[in-house]
Structure formats: structure tokens, C-alpha cells
């Protein structure tokens, strides 16, 4: 099966799944398989399908138990949900993860068909508990993590600990547990700081989130994000790709890295790509399309979703990428004079012809080689920028609901992340 036949086959499969509204089901099942790795995948999937529930499951963990419980009880009263609290059951003795997991499993079975929703307070608290919950085939609808400032946590542990060593261990444990949970759930975990926001404000915020019937899709939906940037200005786009990869659990695909890998591999494409870069000419579309196609169809990319930086660069590449069903285009643009000025500030390595926006201070041999990028034809530079801005308009026209344009200089990273969060939680972009 050649490349065009593979693309056609993929389109037919995805069209069928969408027509029968099975996208969520297939992606949830795939996610559960990847996380759980059962010895008998077929039996595991059958069991999950036979035990699917309409009951809403909300997880709330982190922070001091009393503060968390006040928030949980208020939410449960608002929605008439059942509350399962770890501390209430195990308050008189120390327990291990296996005991907690068994208790949660038993309680969920008791409440399975008797409540519209269940809120579990204080669970999962670490990576072992999180993996156990997922191994049961149970998918929470929301996961809220309540944190407090370090000073508050330190004071709390000093009151209940026997030594400063115990305090330090407790703080380290909490930090590592939170990091593990963020790794597993990514943007699926909503974090609220109880030291910076009032309890009433947090309750109101969570209440509004729960009332939204649309589930929070990442990482269940495995979003496909393309970051489009002006020619030669890759630093901000690469930074965003790294943030998106970590935040949403996506595979990070950087065109610069993919191109360099082809050169280093010394395969058939390497010399051709190297020669094009030496002449400062664009790599042919069919070669770039082939490189990108290989990466986006990898098992990891299809399982986790991906963020692709620096591609597409023209209409032909855009047409190719359209078949990969991009959910969101993050486009970086600026006024013409700003882009021209930034291009004039570039440095270039005369050996590799690679351009740099910032001087790599930790690489002295490269630092010694770098030169100011000489723009011999400013009219040609303006033409490239004009062409890029026309390309941006084309993307906006063609994918209006799936495009968000940001100013390269003026829009903060925080604002871009905030807007991207909203977009990736919009079910329309997955249709």
C-alpha cells in the first residue's frame, strides 16, 4: 500500500468512525489499553464495554483534608452527588495504597447505579493509585487538584510531625506526587491554589465547570496541533511546542529536529536536504510531506496526539496536512516592520547555514563561528513576509473555527496557553 492509498484508507476509517459518533469510544479504549497494558487486551476491552456507566465521577485531591472536604461537601450538596472520602474511612490508622485502592473499588461498586454522580475526596493521591483507577476501566469526568503555598504546607506539617526531617519528607512527597499526577492526566487535571483564592471562589469556579456537560477532552481526544510561524523565526514556536507537549501530553514534532535527523542519518534524503539548506532554498514539498507523514503516523503520535512546529509553510503542504485532520492551528504573526526587524537580527552559522535568534552561549565553537545574517535583498525579504501573511489569511479562511492567530511579540505565553486550553476543550474542533 503506497502513501496515497494509506491516506485514502485512513480517511475512510476516520469518516466511518465520525459518522457513527464513535470517536470518544475508540480513543478512550485506546488510552485505557496504553495505560493499563493488560495481559489479555480482548477480555479487558469486553469488560470495559460491558461496565460502561453514565454516572459522573469527579475526583478532588491535594491540599489539607479539612479545606478539601469543605469544598467537596459544598459541591456534593449543590449537585446531590455521593461523596467518598479517604480520610473518613482510614482516619484512625495508617494504610497503604493497596488498601486504599480496594476501598475505592468497593465503594464505587456500591454506588454504581444509585447516584447521578460521585465525588471522591483525597484520591488518587499518587501514581500507583492513579494507575489502579485507570486499570479498572473507570474514566473520571473531572479531576480537580487543590494546592497551597509552600509556607502554608510547611506550617501544617510542622504541627503534625515529630521532626523537621519528617516535614521535609512530607513536602518532597507532595511535590513528587503532584508531578506524577500532572504527567498522567496533563491538562485533564484542573489546579486551584487555596492560598491565593477564597474557598467560595473555588467552589463557584468548579461548580461552573461541572455544569458544563461537555467533557474535558485532552488528553482523551489526542489533539493534533500545528504551530505556524514566520520564516526563519522558530524560537517562540519551538518554546510553545515544548509547553504544549508537556501540558497536554502530546508528541513533540519540531521540523528543524526532523530535518537535522535526516541529515545525520546519512540516508538517501540527507545529502539532498543538506544541499538545499546550503543554498538557503526550501526543501521540496514531497520530501517535507514524506518526513512529516512518517512522524504523525507513528504509534506514539497516533496514541497521544501531536504538536507539529514549523509546518506547513505553503499551500501544497497545507493541503497535505489537511488529510491529517488538524484540530487546532496556532498561528504566530506580526506587523511587517516587526518581522523585518527580527529577521535582520538573526545570526547565521556559515558552516551549516542554520540561523539563530539567540546566541547559544554554552557552545563556544559555534559562538565563534556565528555571523550577522546578511540580507542582500531586502525586497526579497519583504516578499517572503508578504507571502507568509497571505498564507496566514488562507489558513484562516479555510479553517476558521480551528485557527487562533497570536502576535509574535505582543501576546504573552500565558495568554496563548489560556486560549489554547479553551480551544482544546471545545468539542466542535474534533468533529
Amino acid at each position: 500500500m503506497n502513501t496515497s492509498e494509506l491516506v485514502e484508507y485512513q480517511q475512510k476509517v476516520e469518516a466511518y468512525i465520525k459518522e457513527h459518533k464513535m470517536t470518544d469510544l475508540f480513543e478512550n479504549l485506546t488510552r485505557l489499553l496504553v495505560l493499563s497494558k493488560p495481559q489479555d487486551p480482548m477480555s479487558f476491552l469486553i469488560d470495559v464495554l460491558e461496565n460502561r456507566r453514565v454516572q459522573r465521577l469527579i475526583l478532588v485531591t491535594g491540599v489539607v483534608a479539612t479545606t478539601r472536604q469543605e469544598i467537596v461537601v459544598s459541591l456534593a450538596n449543590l449537585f446531590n452527588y455521593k461523596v467518598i472520602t479517604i480520610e473518613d474511612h482510614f482516619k484512625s490508622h495508617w494504610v497503604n495504597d493497596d488498601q486504599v485502592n480496594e476501598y475505592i473499588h468497593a465503594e464505587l461498586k456500591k454506588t454504581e447505579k444509585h447516584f447521578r454522580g460521585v465525588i471522591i475526596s483525597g484520591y488518587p493521591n499518587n501514581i500507583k493509585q492513579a494507575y489502579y483507577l485507570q486499570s479498572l476501566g473507570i474514566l473520571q469526568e473531572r479531576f480537580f487538584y487543590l494546592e497551597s503555598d509552600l509556607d502554608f504546607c510547611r506550617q501544617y506539617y510542622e504541627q503534625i510531625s515529630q521532626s523537621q526531617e519528617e516535614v521535609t519528607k512530607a513536602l518532597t512527597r507532595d511535590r513528587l506526587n503532584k508531578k506524577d499526577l500532572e504527567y498522567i492526566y496533563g491538562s485533564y487535571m484542573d489546579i486551584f491554589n487555596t492560598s491565593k483564592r477564597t474557598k467560595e471562589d473555588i467552589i463557584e469556579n468548579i461548580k461552573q465547570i461541572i455544569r458544563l456537560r461537555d467533557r474535558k477532552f485532552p488528553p482523551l481526544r489526542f489533539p493534533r496541533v500545528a504551530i505556524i510561524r514566520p520564516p526563519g523565526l522558530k524560537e517562540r514556536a519551538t518554546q510553545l511546542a515544548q509547553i504544549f507537549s508537556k501540558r497536554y501530553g502530546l508528541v513533540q514534532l519540531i521540523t528543524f529536529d526532523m530535518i537535522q535527523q535526516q541529515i545525520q542519518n546519512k540516508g538517501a534524503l540527507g545529502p539532498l536536504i543538506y544541499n538545499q539548506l546550503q543554498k538557503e532554498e526550501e526543501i521540496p514539498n514531497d520530501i517535507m510531506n514524506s518526513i512529516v507523514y512518517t512522524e504523525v503516523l507513528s504509534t506514539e503520535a497516533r496514541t497521544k496526539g501531536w504538536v507539529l512546529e514549523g509546518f506547513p509553510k505553503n499551500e501544497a503542504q497545507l493541503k497535505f496536512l489537511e488529510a491529517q485532520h488538524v484540530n487546532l492551528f496556532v498561528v504566530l504573526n506580526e506587523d511587517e516592520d516587526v518581522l523585518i526587524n527580527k529577521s535582520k537580527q538573526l545570526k547565521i552559522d556559515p558552516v551549516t547555514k542554520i540561523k539563530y535568534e539567540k546566541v547559544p552561549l554554552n557552545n563556544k565553537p559555534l559562538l565563534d563561528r556565528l555571523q550577522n545574517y546578511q540580507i542582500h535583498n531586502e525586497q526579497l525579504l519583504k516578499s517572503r513576509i508578504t507571502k507568509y501573511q497571505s498564507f496566514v489569511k488562507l489558513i484562516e479562511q479555510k479553517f476558521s473555527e480551528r485557527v487562533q492567530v497570536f502576535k509574535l511579540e505582543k501576546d504573552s505565553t500565558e495568554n496563548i496557553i489560556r486560549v489554547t486550553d479553551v480551544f482544546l476543550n471545545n468539542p466542535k474542533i474534533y468533529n
Side-chain angles (χ1 to χ4, degrees):
M1 189 178 290
N2 59 35
T3 301
S4 60
E5 289 173 334
L6 277 172
V7 171
E8 184 181 359
Y9 173 74
Q10 179 191 353
Q11 290 173 338
K12 287 181 179 179
V13 171
E14 294 187 359
Y16 176 84
I17 292 173
K18 288 181 179 179
E19 180 185 353
H20 294 279
K21 299 180 180 179
M22 300 172 68
T23 305
D24 279 347
L25 175 62
F26 271 88
E27 292 185 345
N28 288 346
L29 291 175
T30 303
R31 175 174 177 268
L32 283 172
L33 278 176
V34 172
L35 291 171
S36 305
K37 297 182 176 63
Q39 290 185 346
D40 186 349
M42 195 67 72
S43 297
F44 175 82
L45 290 175
I46 291 172
D47 185 59
V48 170
L49 289 170
E50 288 179 345
N51 291 283
R52 290 183 70 209
R53 310 180 306 156
V54 296
Q55 186 184 68
R56 305 182 78 183
L57 176 61
I58 311 296
L59 306 177
V60 183
T61 191
V63 90
V64 176
T66 51
T67 305
R68 173 176 15 95
Q69 194 63 8
E70 290 174 2
I71 292 174
V72 166
V73 170
S74 296
L75 293 170
N77 291 337
L78 280 168
F79 294 99
N80 192 27
Y81 286 179
K82 166 72 174 176
V83 175
I84 300 174
T85 306
I86 298 298
E87 289 84 4
D88 284 353
H89 185 73
F90 296 111
K91 58 186 176 183
S92 60
H93 58 288
W94 181 88
V95 291
N96 59 37
D97 289 327
D98 291 335
Q99 291 173 296
V100 174
N101 289 337
E102 289 172 7
Y103 168 70
I104 290 297
H105 191 192
E107 288 299 304
L108 285 174
K109 278 191 168 295
K110 289 180 189 176
T111 63
E112 191 165 17
K113 296 181 181 178
H114 303 290
F115 293 89
R116 290 174 54 246
V118 176
I119 303 178
I120 304 181
S121 177
Y123 183 92
N125 198 40
N126 56 46
I127 195 169
K128 186 174 181 180
Q129 294 175 5
Y131 277 141
Y132 176 79
L133 188 63
Q134 292 173 334
S135 72
L136 298 177
I138 296 173
L139 291 175
Q140 72 289 335
E141 184 164 330
R142 292 285 177 169
F143 180 22
F144 300 106
Y145 188 92
L146 306 177
E147 65 178 2
S148 293
D149 288 346
L150 181 61
D151 289 341
F152 177 87
C153 295
R154 187 183 301 279
Q155 291 174 12
Y156 170 75
Y157 284 124
E158 285 175 348
Q159 294 174 5
I160 63 173
S161 302
Q162 302 296 320
S163 66
Q164 194 61 40
E165 183 181 359
E166 288 184 6
V167 173
T168 302
K169 285 183 178 179
L171 292 172
T172 302
R173 178 201 63 212
D174 288 351
R175 178 175 58 81
L176 294 176
N177 284 344
K178 180 190 173 188
K179 185 177 180 180
D180 286 339
L181 293 173
E182 285 182 299
Y183 171 76
I184 295 173
Y185 293 102
S187 71
Y188 205 62
M189 186 168 88
D190 294 289
I191 301 176
F192 295 90
N193 192 310
T194 59
S195 298
K196 296 178 180 178
R197 301 177 64 174
T198 64
K199 181 180 66 177
E200 292 73 22
D201 181 36
I202 293 174
I203 291 172
E204 181 62 27
N205 200 165
I206 294 178
K207 181 179 74 174
Q208 295 301 325
I209 292 174
I210 292 177
R211 277 181 173 163
L212 292 172
R213 296 305 301 179
D214 296 324
R215 292 192 175 190
K216 189 168 186 181
F217 294 109
L220 292 182
R221 285 276 187 138
F222 314 122
R224 301 166 181 179
V225 181
I227 302 178
I228 316 295
R229 57 169 171 80
L233 304 176
K234 62 179 180 290
E235 184 178 327
R236 185 80 188 280
T238 301
Q239 178 196 44
L240 288 173
Q242 292 169 346
I243 293 172
F244 290 171
S245 175
K246 181 178 179 181
R247 187 174 182 83
Y248 308 120
L250 308 177
V251 174
Q252 180 179 305
L253 305 175
I254 308 296
T255 53
F256 175 82
D257 294 341
M258 292 188 283
I259 290 169
Q260 293 301 310
Q261 188 63 48
Q262 289 291 330
I263 295 173
Q264 292 169 12
N265 287 343
K266 298 181 179 179
L269 294 179
L272 177 58
I273 293 173
Y274 179 79
N275 289 334
Q276 291 295 109
L277 294 178
Q278 286 293 308
K279 293 185 289 186
E280 297 189 45
E281 294 180 357
E282 292 289 338
I283 298 171
N285 290 328
D286 58 342
I287 293 178
M288 280 306 306
N289 290 348
S290 174
I291 293 172
V292 170
Y293 186 77
T294 300
E295 296 295 333
V296 298
L297 281 191
S298 70
T299 302
E300 186 180 21
R302 290 181 65 83
T303 302
K304 295 181 178 180
W306 43 260
V307 52
L308 175 62
E309 181 277 335
F311 186 95
K313 292 184 177 180
N314 55 50
E315 189 171 356
Q317 294 178 3
L318 179 64
K319 186 176 181 180
F320 161 79
L321 195 63
E322 187 176 356
Q324 309 311 316
H325 304 291
V326 177
N327 302 119
L328 175 62
F329 290 90
V330 174
V331 181
L332 301 178
N333 201 4
E334 260 299 351
D335 297 334
E336 182 184 89
D337 58 337
V338 175
L339 294 180
I340 290 175
N341 184 52
K342 288 185 71 65
S343 298
K344 288 180 177 179
Q345 295 175 14
L346 291 172
K347 302 287 185 181
I348 188 168
D349 181 352
V351 176
T352 63
K353 301 297 183 183
I354 295 174
K355 303 181 189 72
Y356 294 87
E357 290 173 70
K358 283 190 177 179
V359 177
L361 299 176
N362 59 341
N363 188 335
K364 192 174 186 308
L366 173 60
L367 190 60
D368 292 338
R369 289 199 311 268
L370 285 183
Q371 301 173 358
N372 290 328
Y373 180 50
Q374 298 296 323
I375 299 174
H376 303 290
N377 189 338
E378 188 161 325
Q379 192 59 41
L380 178 60
L381 175 60
K382 288 183 178 180
S383 176
R384 287 178 179 173
I385 291 172
T386 301
K387 186 177 178 181
Y388 173 75
Q389 293 179 329
S390 297
F391 181 53
V392 169
K393 290 179 181 177
L394 174 65
I395 296 174
E396 289 184 279
Q397 291 169 0
K398 200 163 188 175
F399 306 97
S400 55
E401 291 187 352
R402 304 183 183 206
V403 180
Q404 187 64 35
V405 181
F406 299 97
K407 290 286 189 180
L408 189 64
E409 292 281 277
K410 296 178 183 177
D411 278 303
S412 67
T413 299
E414 291 74 19
N415 181 53
I416 294 175
I417 292 171
R418 180 183 60 78
V419 174
T420 303
D421 281 347
V422 174
F423 263 72
L424 293 183
N425 289 319
N426 178 4
K428 289 183 179 180
I429 70 171
Y430 297 94
N431 294 331

